[in-house]
Amino acid sequence: MGHYVFSFLIRFMVFAIAIAFATRRVPGVKVAPRGALPVVALTFGLLNTFLYGLLHGVMNLMSLWLLFFVTPFLANALLLWLADRLLKSLKIEGLDALAYASVIVTIPHLVLQFLHI
């Protein structure tokens, strides 16, 4: 149980940093008020922890594993979109902002997967 809590805390911190970076680098991604960033990171971390495996698996099956390198990007984009819809404090304006934010979140996500965290 302790391993899962530790793993989730690491994921929470990594996603908080990634989302904070996205809000500074991508013009269409905003967290307002700025103090809501931990809530956004926690929500995205929960969505990512519980839904990512399902989304990734279904997308791989649908593409017959031909797009296995694209599915983490698409799954994170869907989860960011869902977080945007669930939280008033997160605003992602447009598909280009969603794509850039998904790239920013997917890179550390892949590092976490490589490290088995």
Side-chain angles (χ1 to χ4, degrees):
M1 174 82 171
H3 171 71
Y4 293 113
V5 172
F6 182 70
S7 175
F8 181 77
L9 289 174
I10 290 174
R11 293 173 71 83
F12 167 73
M13 292 302 295
V14 167
F15 290 134
I17 292 167
I19 291 170
F21 185 77
T23 61
R24 295 204 183 271
R25 297 292 177 184
V26 181
V29 179
K30 294 174 180 55
V31 174
R34 198 77 179 144
L37 185 61
V39 174
V40 172
L42 178 65
T43 303
F44 183 76
L46 287 170
L47 289 171
N48 195 287
T49 299
F50 294 112
L51 296 178
Y52 177 83
L54 177 68
L55 284 173
H56 187 260
V58 168
M59 288 180 187
N60 273 337
L61 282 174
M62 288 172 41
S63 69
L64 300 174
W65 276 267
L66 295 173
L67 299 174
F68 68 93
F69 55 89
V70 177
T71 55
F73 166 78
L74 293 175
N76 280 319
L78 282 172
L79 293 174
L80 280 169
W81 176 82
L82 183 59
D84 176 45
R85 296 293 175 233
L86 291 173
L87 301 170
K88 290 183 179 183
S89 55
L90 175 64
K91 295 294 175 217
I92 301 175
E93 301 165 353
L95 287 177
D96 55 340
L98 180 63
Y100 289 131
S102 182
V103 167
I104 290 171
V105 169
T106 299
I107 292 169
H109 183 139
L110 292 174
V111 170
L112 288 173
Q113 280 187 325
F114 179 74
L115 296 174
H116 300 290
I117 296 175

